[in-house]
Amino acid sequence: MTAAPTVQVPRARDLRIHLARARRAQRAAAGKGQDRDWYTPLLAVAVLTGLLVQGVRRVMGAEASPLPHAPHIGLLLGAVGLVLAGVVLRAALALGPMLAGPAVRHWLLAGTVDRAAMLRPRYLALAAAAALAGAGGGALAALVAAVAPPWWEAVWWAATGAGAAAALAAAAVMWQAGDTRIGRSVGTALVVAGAASVAAALLVPRASAVPALPAPAATTVAWVLALLLFGCGWRRLGVLDRAALGAGSGLAAAVQAAGTFMEPSLLLGLLEERRWRSAHHGRSRPGRGLGYGALVHSDLRRVLRTPGALPLAVGLLLVTYAAADVLPAVAVPPVAVVAAYAVASRVASGVRAVTRSAALRRALGGTDRALIMAHLVAPLVVVAVWTAALLPALLPLNPIAVLLIPLGAVAVVERSATRPAPDYGAAVFETGMGAVQVDLVRQLVRGPALLAGLAAVQLLLPR
């Protein structure tokens, strides 16, 4: 009688060690060495963080202590935190957050190795990165609430942010292993709760005091929730199958390609396609009007059907009202311009489709400029209505500044939509600290440069 052959199942730890050795040997054979340049990215992060902190301090006023209407600051910051938590949760579930490439899914996780043990280091790294990002966000929130906060208060805020971010990451992994629709619904509920909190903070009389949760209690609640959700996610790592681990691979590839080729349209096109796929089906109707009038009518109907356009407009309206209630008057117009551009960009899919397809322009007929102007009518109407809803917060401003908000937002949309394809063979300028492709940078900042110029003009206009 012949005994059945025994199969030795490799341990996950041994497999990780073997893979690490193979990668080191591959880098050494390729001449890359084993040393990494950590100084340059850390220096860049430190410089950018310092610029952000100094900018916030300068806007808030370096000599002032707490912001005006201090009782509302805690409620507003909590509302912003809820909105950010909901947006990050939905984005994390769209991307993964536990993501494995095709090679790892088909050659490692499909074998006899313990899948949960293979995913635990990734899970720990995800929780640690989320806690670090949350600590930075909490410290920044402390800086916004009080320009020069005591060190212990900044520590409490940072600890609370770290616990909340770790809980959010663990919850995303738990829902990834279960039903992602529940996680997306929770993300939407958090965004709605944040918007309701902003509205409540704006309606509370300025002279009244708003009760606040003590910092130690908030930190304790955040970390208890983080530990509970982390344990639930740890136990459900073995439930993650290859389909769940590869669901966001297309979006991750688009993010990588957009960063590598410095072409944001690669990512924006995929996101727009996913939004339209998730939209409800509408009843088809014949267009009205003739010539350019029919194009304007169809574009307006497209605006009404754009997924998420109305919630985005309402949310940015609340954000701008909150900025007018908290920030100095000089900082309100730039915030309004940026928000108006975001609203106009969401409903400008028609002008982007026309500018990106020469075949579509030839099929529609007419000149390119006339087609672009016809498809800019719908964004202009939407952003004009949005600006009119913002007038109570903008009434003390210069009428020219108010008029520049919708017109400038549509102009930035037109500049961004008509941006040519990146020219990777452009001339290179040697700065002494590295080579810079001047023409490529100029093409990339075609729309954002105009937006920054409009914000600067808004700052310089007399009140």
Side-chain angles (χ1 to χ4, degrees):
M1 182 176 179
T2 304
T6 58
V7 179
Q8 184 178 2
V9 179
R11 294 188 305 172
R13 182 174 180 274
D14 297 337
L15 187 56
R16 288 197 300 269
I17 293 174
H18 177 74
L19 289 174
R21 291 174 179 173
R23 292 191 182 103
R24 286 196 296 267
Q26 184 180 9
R27 287 197 299 267
K32 297 181 180 179
Q34 300 181 8
D35 297 331
R36 293 185 179 180
D37 181 18
W38 294 103
Y39 173 76
T40 301
L42 288 178
L43 179 62
V45 171
V47 170
L48 293 176
T49 304
L51 290 175
L52 177 62
V53 171
Q54 290 300 323
V56 172
R57 290 174 63 91
R58 181 164 297 182
V59 170
M60 299 301 177
E63 302 298 330
S65 54
L67 291 174
H69 323 311
H72 300 72
I73 298 301
L75 185 57
L76 285 175
L77 289 177
V80 172
L82 288 176
V83 173
L84 288 178
V87 172
V88 169
L89 180 59
R90 289 184 63 91
L93 290 173
L95 189 61
M98 295 290 291
L99 185 64
V104 175
R105 293 199 310 269
H106 294 290
W107 292 103
L108 296 180
L109 301 180
T112 56
V113 70
D114 186 1
R115 184 180 303 165
M118 286 293 296
L119 293 176
R120 281 168 191 163
R122 297 181 179 225
Y123 185 49
L124 290 172
L126 174 66
L132 184 61
L140 183 61
L143 178 65
V144 172
V147 177
W151 65 268
W152 60 86
E153 185 177 348
V155 170
W156 281 118
W157 280 73
T160 304
L168 198 65
V173 173
M174 184 181 64
W175 280 313
Q176 183 185 4
D179 191 356
T180 57
R181 293 176 297 180
I182 299 177
R184 290 193 293 267
S185 301
V186 171
T188 304
L190 289 175
V191 173
V192 173
S197 300
V198 172
L202 295 176
L203 294 176
V204 170
R206 296 182 177 181
S208 62
V210 179
L213 184 66
T219 305
T220 303
V221 171
W223 276 104
V224 168
L225 185 62
L227 292 176
L228 290 176
L229 292 175
F230 183 83
C232 294
W234 185 276
R235 289 194 302 268
R236 292 188 63 84
L237 287 178
V239 184
L240 283 170
D241 53 6
R242 290 187 295 167
L245 292 171
S249 58
L251 183 59
V255 172
Q256 184 178 5
T260 302
F261 295 100
M262 291 183 288
E263 180 54 56
S265 62
L266 296 175
L267 176 61
L268 297 179
L270 177 63
L271 293 177
E272 189 170 353
E273 178 186 354
R274 293 180 66 153
R275 282 196 299 266
W276 280 107
R277 285 181 179 273
S278 62
H280 298 288
H281 296 286
R283 187 162 57 93
S284 179
R285 296 177 182 176
R288 296 180 181 178
L290 298 174
Y292 295 116
L295 295 178
V296 172
H297 177 260
S298 63
D299 206 21
L300 288 172
R301 288 181 57 191
R302 182 188 293 110
V303 167
L304 296 176
R305 294 180 177 180
T306 300
L310 182 60
L312 178 66
V314 173
L316 290 176
L317 192 67
L318 292 175
V319 168
T320 312
Y321 269 106
D325 188 67
V326 173
L327 297 179
V330 70
V332 177
V335 174
V337 168
V338 175
Y341 165 68
V343 173
S345 180
R346 174 55 69 90
V347 297
S349 58
V351 67
R352 285 193 293 267
V354 168
T355 54
R356 292 174 186 173
S357 176
L360 179 60
R361 294 195 299 271
R362 287 193 294 267
L364 293 175
T367 63
D368 292 349
R369 177 54 56 183
L371 288 174
I372 292 174
M373 296 303 295
H375 285 85
L376 286 176
V377 173
L380 181 59
V381 170
V382 171
V383 77
V385 173
W386 185 87
T387 307
L390 193 63
L391 281 180
L394 301 176
L395 283 179
L397 296 180
N398 191 327
I400 299 178
V402 177
L403 187 61
L404 280 178
I405 292 175
L407 296 179
V410 174
V412 176
V413 167
E414 189 272 339
R415 292 284 292 177
S416 301
T418 56
R419 181 173 62 88
D423 183 10
Y424 302 105
V428 177
F429 177 71
E430 182 61 45
T431 61
M433 300 181 61
V436 177
Q437 288 185 323
V438 182
D439 290 339
L440 182 59
V441 174
R442 179 178 55 82
Q443 293 172 7
L444 290 175
V445 300
R446 178 183 172 96
L450 179 58
L451 184 62
L454 285 171
V457 170
Q458 294 278 21
L459 289 174
L460 296 176
L461 283 175
R463 300 291 174 257

